[in-house]
Amino acid sequence: MKKLAAALCALMLLVACSPASSKVLILATTTSTADTGLLDVLNAEFARLHPGWTVKIVAVGTGEALKLGERKDCDVLLVHARESEEAFLAAGFGVNRRDVMYNDFVLLGPGHDPAGVKGAASLVEALQLLGNSSFLFVSRGDNSGTHRKEIELWKQAGLVPGGESYLSTGQGMGETLRIASDKAGYTLSDRGTYLATSNLDLAVVFQGDPLLRNEYGVIEVKGAKNPDGARAYAEFLVSSVAQGIIADFGKDRFGQPLFYPNAGR
């Protein structure tokens, strides 16, 4: 909650300092889209195509982003928790949800993999190996899309995590990765943030299960202060221009894109 309050205070200062000729569009989104640097590239192109708008980002977990939308404290959302997004739409808080992109989640841990997760035949088996061991698992614990996915996956494995071997950070993905690295623990991360975060002593120990697909959608907030800007930004994200940026982002640095375009598919 303190993190969200700080983000909102910073946002108010940014809005107050924006040029009088610029209309401010508030985007509430997940930490993964901001931490990877993708939004910097997308928003620069949006500003070029729509010079009358300035995009201000509030990067929080998906749960907090949706709360901002419920209160109409933002104009548009870019989030990744489909079930929660559907509930948000059904409650009348948002309109026009559209697929934008996807990547996947990966299970990370120490390179020597003391829990033997790399040998698991399925993600469920991998989580059962962890849940029934004393090896540390580090969770975001922040009601983000990643945290919600983690809880869903534990349920799939028939486990309720807790105890001394389960650490809830209450932090974003980047900080949670650093804590897991420092403590030689396991954690769940979106692949993009993992690749974009440097100096980690973590390796991918399990990947590729269909349960690990991670989809992002854009939603216009119903009753937003700037509905025209929200619509323009949403349409930009699903345009061929933005989809091309998404398809290429990360290739030069990591040899692979961090996200895959998914609009209209």
Short mmCIF file of all heavy atoms in Angstrom, two decimals, residues 183-224:
data_model
loop_
_atom_site.label_atom_id
_atom_site.label_comp_id
_atom_site.label_asym_id
_atom_site.label_seq_id
_atom_site.Cartn_x
_atom_site.Cartn_y
_atom_site.Cartn_z
N LYS A 183 19.30 -15.10 -1.47
CA LYS A 183 19.01 -16.14 -0.48
C LYS A 183 19.06 -17.56 -1.06
O LYS A 183 18.69 -18.51 -0.38
CB LYS A 183 17.64 -15.87 0.17
CG LYS A 183 17.59 -14.60 1.00
CD LYS A 183 16.24 -14.44 1.67
CE LYS A 183 16.23 -13.21 2.58
NZ LYS A 183 17.13 -13.40 3.75
N ALA A 184 19.51 -17.69 -2.30
CA ALA A 184 19.59 -18.99 -2.97
C ALA A 184 18.25 -19.71 -2.93
O ALA A 184 18.17 -20.91 -2.63
CB ALA A 184 20.69 -19.86 -2.33
N GLY A 185 17.19 -18.96 -3.22
CA GLY A 185 15.85 -19.53 -3.20
C GLY A 185 15.30 -19.75 -4.59
O GLY A 185 15.93 -19.40 -5.60
N TYR A 186 14.13 -20.34 -4.63
CA TYR A 186 13.39 -20.54 -5.87
C TYR A 186 12.31 -19.46 -5.97
O TYR A 186 11.86 -18.91 -4.96
CB TYR A 186 12.73 -21.92 -5.89
CG TYR A 186 13.70 -23.07 -6.02
CD1 TYR A 186 14.38 -23.58 -4.92
CD2 TYR A 186 13.95 -23.65 -7.27
CE1 TYR A 186 15.28 -24.64 -5.05
CE2 TYR A 186 14.83 -24.71 -7.41
CZ TYR A 186 15.50 -25.20 -6.30
OH TYR A 186 16.38 -26.24 -6.43
N THR A 187 11.87 -19.17 -7.18
CA THR A 187 10.79 -18.20 -7.36
C THR A 187 10.17 -18.36 -8.74
O THR A 187 10.71 -19.04 -9.61
CB THR A 187 11.31 -16.75 -7.18
OG1 THR A 187 10.20 -15.85 -7.08
CG2 THR A 187 12.19 -16.31 -8.35
N LEU A 188 9.01 -17.74 -8.92
CA LEU A 188 8.32 -17.71 -10.21
C LEU A 188 8.44 -16.30 -10.78
O LEU A 188 8.20 -15.32 -10.08
CB LEU A 188 6.84 -18.07 -10.04
CG LEU A 188 6.00 -18.10 -11.32
CD1 LEU A 188 6.33 -19.35 -12.13
CD2 LEU A 188 4.51 -18.07 -10.97
N SER A 189 8.80 -16.20 -12.05
CA SER A 189 8.96 -14.89 -12.68
C SER A 189 8.45 -14.94 -14.11
O SER A 189 8.49 -16.00 -14.75
CB SER A 189 10.44 -14.49 -12.69
OG SER A 189 10.66 -13.31 -13.45
N ASP A 190 8.01 -13.80 -14.62
CA ASP A 190 7.82 -13.71 -16.07
C ASP A 190 9.20 -13.71 -16.70
O ASP A 190 10.17 -13.18 -16.12
CB ASP A 190 7.03 -12.46 -16.44
CG ASP A 190 7.81 -11.17 -16.20
OD1 ASP A 190 7.90 -10.76 -15.03
OD2 ASP A 190 8.36 -10.62 -17.17
N ARG A 191 9.31 -14.31 -17.87
CA ARG A 191 10.62 -14.47 -18.50
C ARG A 191 11.26 -13.11 -18.83
O ARG A 191 12.48 -12.94 -18.70
CB ARG A 191 10.50 -15.30 -19.77
CG ARG A 191 11.84 -15.69 -20.38
CD ARG A 191 11.66 -16.42 -21.69
NE ARG A 191 10.98 -17.69 -21.54
CZ ARG A 191 11.59 -18.85 -21.30
NH1 ARG A 191 12.91 -18.90 -21.19
NH2 ARG A 191 10.89 -19.96 -21.20
N GLY A 192 10.44 -12.15 -19.25
CA GLY A 192 10.97 -10.87 -19.66
C GLY A 192 11.72 -10.16 -18.55
O GLY A 192 12.83 -9.66 -18.74
N THR A 193 11.12 -10.08 -17.35
CA THR A 193 11.78 -9.40 -16.25
C THR A 193 13.03 -10.15 -15.82
O THR A 193 14.05 -9.53 -15.47
CB THR A 193 10.82 -9.25 -15.05
OG1 THR A 193 9.62 -8.61 -15.48
CG2 THR A 193 11.45 -8.41 -13.95
N TYR A 194 12.98 -11.47 -15.85
CA TYR A 194 14.17 -12.27 -15.50
C TYR A 194 15.32 -11.94 -16.44
O TYR A 194 16.45 -11.68 -16.00
CB TYR A 194 13.83 -13.75 -15.56
CG TYR A 194 15.04 -14.66 -15.54
CD1 TYR A 194 15.91 -14.69 -14.45
CD2 TYR A 194 15.32 -15.47 -16.64
CE1 TYR A 194 17.03 -15.52 -14.45
CE2 TYR A 194 16.44 -16.29 -16.65
CZ TYR A 194 17.28 -16.32 -15.55
OH TYR A 194 18.39 -17.14 -15.56
N LEU A 195 15.05 -11.92 -17.74
CA LEU A 195 16.11 -11.65 -18.70
C LEU A 195 16.64 -10.22 -18.59
O LEU A 195 17.83 -9.97 -18.80
CB LEU A 195 15.60 -11.90 -20.13
CG LEU A 195 15.34 -13.36 -20.51
CD1 LEU A 195 14.68 -13.44 -21.88
CD2 LEU A 195 16.62 -14.18 -20.48
N ALA A 196 15.75 -9.30 -18.24
CA ALA A 196 16.14 -7.89 -18.20
C ALA A 196 16.78 -7.48 -16.88
O ALA A 196 17.28 -6.35 -16.77
CB ALA A 196 14.91 -7.01 -18.46
N THR A 197 16.81 -8.37 -15.89
CA THR A 197 17.38 -8.04 -14.57
C THR A 197 18.79 -8.61 -14.48
O THR A 197 19.00 -9.81 -14.60
CB THR A 197 16.51 -8.61 -13.44
OG1 THR A 197 15.17 -8.14 -13.59
CG2 THR A 197 17.03 -8.16 -12.08
N SER A 198 19.75 -7.74 -14.27
CA SER A 198 21.16 -8.15 -14.29
C SER A 198 21.64 -8.63 -12.93
O SER A 198 20.99 -8.41 -11.90
CB SER A 198 22.03 -6.98 -14.76
OG SER A 198 21.87 -5.87 -13.91
N ASN A 199 22.78 -9.30 -12.94
CA ASN A 199 23.49 -9.73 -11.73
C ASN A 199 22.66 -10.64 -10.83
O ASN A 199 22.64 -10.50 -9.61
CB ASN A 199 23.97 -8.52 -10.92
CG ASN A 199 24.90 -7.63 -11.73
OD1 ASN A 199 25.76 -8.12 -12.45
ND2 ASN A 199 24.71 -6.32 -11.62
N LEU A 200 21.97 -11.60 -11.45
CA LEU A 200 21.19 -12.57 -10.67
C LEU A 200 21.90 -13.91 -10.65
O LEU A 200 22.38 -14.39 -11.69
CB LEU A 200 19.80 -12.76 -11.29
CG LEU A 200 18.84 -11.59 -11.24
CD1 LEU A 200 17.56 -11.94 -12.00
CD2 LEU A 200 18.52 -11.19 -9.81
N ASP A 201 21.96 -14.52 -9.49
CA ASP A 201 22.49 -15.87 -9.38
C ASP A 201 21.32 -16.85 -9.38
O ASP A 201 21.08 -17.58 -8.42
CB ASP A 201 23.30 -15.99 -8.08
CG ASP A 201 24.10 -17.29 -8.02
OD1 ASP A 201 24.22 -17.95 -9.08
OD2 ASP A 201 24.58 -17.64 -6.93
N LEU A 202 20.57 -16.82 -10.48
CA LEU A 202 19.40 -17.67 -10.66
C LEU A 202 19.42 -18.26 -12.06
O LEU A 202 19.86 -17.60 -13.01
CB LEU A 202 18.10 -16.86 -10.48
CG LEU A 202 17.77 -16.32 -9.10
CD1 LEU A 202 16.57 -15.36 -9.19
CD2 LEU A 202 17.46 -17.45 -8.12
N ALA A 203 18.89 -19.47 -12.19
CA ALA A 203 18.80 -20.12 -13.49
C ALA A 203 17.38 -20.63 -13.69
O ALA A 203 16.64 -20.86 -12.72
CB ALA A 203 19.79 -21.29 -13.56
N VAL A 204 16.99 -20.79 -14.95
CA VAL A 204 15.70 -21.40 -15.24
C VAL A 204 15.79 -22.90 -14.92
O VAL A 204 16.62 -23.61 -15.48
CB VAL A 204 15.31 -21.21 -16.72
CG1 VAL A 204 14.01 -21.95 -17.02
CG2 VAL A 204 15.17 -19.73 -17.05
N VAL A 205 14.94 -23.35 -13.99
CA VAL A 205 14.95 -24.76 -13.62
C VAL A 205 13.73 -25.51 -14.15
O VAL A 205 13.73 -26.74 -14.20
CB VAL A 205 15.05 -24.94 -12.08
CG1 VAL A 205 16.39 -24.44 -11.58
CG2 VAL A 205 13.90 -24.23 -11.37
N PHE A 206 12.69 -24.75 -14.57
CA PHE A 206 11.56 -25.40 -15.23
C PHE A 206 10.85 -24.38 -16.11
O PHE A 206 10.63 -23.23 -15.71
CB PHE A 206 10.56 -25.98 -14.22
CG PHE A 206 9.63 -26.98 -14.84
CD1 PHE A 206 9.95 -28.32 -14.87
CD2 PHE A 206 8.45 -26.58 -15.47
CE1 PHE A 206 9.12 -29.26 -15.49
CE2 PHE A 206 7.62 -27.49 -16.09
CZ PHE A 206 7.95 -28.83 -16.09
N GLN A 207 10.47 -24.83 -17.32
CA GLN A 207 9.81 -23.96 -18.28
C GLN A 207 9.02 -24.80 -19.27
O GLN A 207 9.14 -26.02 -19.33
CB GLN A 207 10.84 -23.12 -19.03
CG GLN A 207 11.84 -23.95 -19.84
CD GLN A 207 12.91 -23.10 -20.50
OE1 GLN A 207 12.67 -21.97 -20.92
NE2 GLN A 207 14.13 -23.63 -20.58
N GLY A 208 8.19 -24.12 -20.06
CA GLY A 208 7.56 -24.76 -21.19
C GLY A 208 6.21 -25.42 -20.95
O GLY A 208 5.55 -25.83 -21.90
N ASP A 209 5.77 -25.50 -19.71
CA ASP A 209 4.47 -26.11 -19.42
C ASP A 209 3.37 -25.15 -19.91
O ASP A 209 3.47 -23.93 -19.72
CB ASP A 209 4.32 -26.36 -17.92
CG ASP A 209 3.15 -27.26 -17.58
OD1 ASP A 209 1.99 -26.80 -17.77
OD2 ASP A 209 3.36 -28.38 -17.12
N PRO A 210 2.29 -25.65 -20.53
CA PRO A 210 1.20 -24.77 -20.97
C PRO A 210 0.61 -23.91 -19.86
O PRO A 210 0.08 -22.82 -20.12
CB PRO A 210 0.15 -25.76 -21.51
CG PRO A 210 0.94 -26.96 -21.93
CD PRO A 210 2.07 -27.06 -20.94
N LEU A 211 0.70 -24.36 -18.62
CA LEU A 211 0.17 -23.59 -17.50
C LEU A 211 0.95 -22.30 -17.27
O LEU A 211 0.48 -21.41 -16.55
CB LEU A 211 0.21 -24.42 -16.21
CG LEU A 211 -0.73 -25.63 -16.14
CD1 LEU A 211 -0.43 -26.46 -14.90
CD2 LEU A 211 -2.18 -25.17 -16.13
N LEU A 212 2.12 -22.19 -17.88
CA LEU A 212 2.99 -21.04 -17.63
C LEU A 212 2.80 -19.90 -18.65
O LEU A 212 3.50 -18.90 -18.58
CB LEU A 212 4.45 -21.48 -17.64
CG LEU A 212 4.86 -22.37 -16.46
CD1 LEU A 212 6.25 -22.93 -16.67
CD2 LEU A 212 4.77 -21.62 -15.15
N ARG A 213 1.87 -20.03 -19.56
CA ARG A 213 1.61 -18.95 -20.53
C ARG A 213 1.13 -17.70 -19.78
O ARG A 213 0.34 -17.77 -18.83
CB ARG A 213 0.57 -19.38 -21.56
CG ARG A 213 0.36 -18.37 -22.69
CD ARG A 213 -0.61 -18.92 -23.70
NE ARG A 213 -1.02 -17.94 -24.68
CZ ARG A 213 -0.52 -17.81 -25.90
NH1 ARG A 213 0.45 -18.62 -26.30
NH2 ARG A 213 -0.98 -16.91 -26.74
N ASN A 214 1.58 -16.54 -20.23
CA ASN A 214 1.36 -15.28 -19.53
C ASN A 214 0.87 -14.22 -20.52
O ASN A 214 1.65 -13.65 -21.26
CB ASN A 214 2.68 -14.83 -18.87
CG ASN A 214 2.55 -13.54 -18.10
OD1 ASN A 214 1.49 -13.21 -17.57
ND2 ASN A 214 3.64 -12.79 -18.03
N GLU A 215 -0.45 -13.97 -20.53
CA GLU A 215 -1.05 -13.07 -21.51
C GLU A 215 -1.34 -11.69 -20.91
O GLU A 215 -1.78 -11.58 -19.77
CB GLU A 215 -2.34 -13.68 -22.05
CG GLU A 215 -2.12 -14.99 -22.79
CD GLU A 215 -3.37 -15.44 -23.52
OE1 GLU A 215 -4.38 -14.72 -23.49
OE2 GLU A 215 -3.31 -16.52 -24.15
N TYR A 216 -1.10 -10.67 -21.72
CA TYR A 216 -1.34 -9.28 -21.33
C TYR A 216 -2.48 -8.69 -22.16
O TYR A 216 -2.54 -8.90 -23.37
CB TYR A 216 -0.08 -8.43 -21.55
CG TYR A 216 1.08 -8.78 -20.66
CD1 TYR A 216 1.86 -9.90 -20.91
CD2 TYR A 216 1.41 -7.98 -19.56
CE1 TYR A 216 2.94 -10.22 -20.10
CE2 TYR A 216 2.49 -8.29 -18.75
CZ TYR A 216 3.25 -9.41 -19.02
OH TYR A 216 4.31 -9.73 -18.21
N GLY A 217 -3.35 -7.92 -21.50
CA GLY A 217 -4.44 -7.27 -22.19
C GLY A 217 -4.54 -5.80 -21.84
O GLY A 217 -4.11 -5.37 -20.76
N VAL A 218 -5.09 -5.02 -22.75
CA VAL A 218 -5.32 -3.60 -22.50
C VAL A 218 -6.81 -3.38 -22.28
O VAL A 218 -7.65 -3.96 -22.98
CB VAL A 218 -4.79 -2.72 -23.67
CG1 VAL A 218 -5.50 -3.03 -24.98
CG2 VAL A 218 -4.92 -1.24 -23.32
N ILE A 219 -7.16 -2.57 -21.29
CA ILE A 219 -8.55 -2.29 -20.94
C ILE A 219 -8.71 -0.78 -20.76
O ILE A 219 -7.93 -0.14 -20.05
CB ILE A 219 -8.96 -2.98 -19.62
CG1 ILE A 219 -8.76 -4.50 -19.71
CG2 ILE A 219 -10.41 -2.65 -19.27
CD1 ILE A 219 -8.99 -5.22 -18.38
N GLU A 220 -9.72 -0.23 -21.41
CA GLU A 220 -10.06 1.18 -21.20
C GLU A 220 -10.94 1.29 -19.95
O GLU A 220 -11.88 0.51 -19.79
CB GLU A 220 -10.80 1.73 -22.41
CG GLU A 220 -10.00 1.67 -23.70
CD GLU A 220 -10.89 1.82 -24.91
OE1 GLU A 220 -11.73 2.76 -24.93
OE2 GLU A 220 -10.78 0.99 -25.84
N VAL A 221 -10.62 2.21 -19.08
CA VAL A 221 -11.38 2.39 -17.84
C VAL A 221 -12.69 3.10 -18.16
O VAL A 221 -12.69 4.15 -18.80
CB VAL A 221 -10.57 3.18 -16.81
CG1 VAL A 221 -11.42 3.51 -15.58
CG2 VAL A 221 -9.33 2.39 -16.40
N LYS A 222 -13.81 2.51 -17.74
CA LYS A 222 -15.11 3.12 -17.98
C LYS A 222 -15.26 4.36 -17.11
O LYS A 222 -15.05 4.32 -15.91
CB LYS A 222 -16.22 2.12 -17.66
CG LYS A 222 -17.60 2.58 -18.09
CD LYS A 222 -18.61 1.48 -17.89
CE LYS A 222 -20.00 1.90 -18.36
NZ LYS A 222 -20.99 0.81 -18.21
N GLY A 223 -15.62 5.47 -17.72
CA GLY A 223 -15.75 6.73 -16.97
C GLY A 223 -14.41 7.39 -16.71
O GLY A 223 -14.31 8.23 -15.82
N ALA A 224 -13.39 7.03 -17.48
CA ALA A 224 -12.06 7.61 -17.30
C ALA A 224 -12.08 9.11 -17.54
O ALA A 224 -12.93 9.63 -18.28
CB ALA A 224 -11.07 6.97 -18.28
#
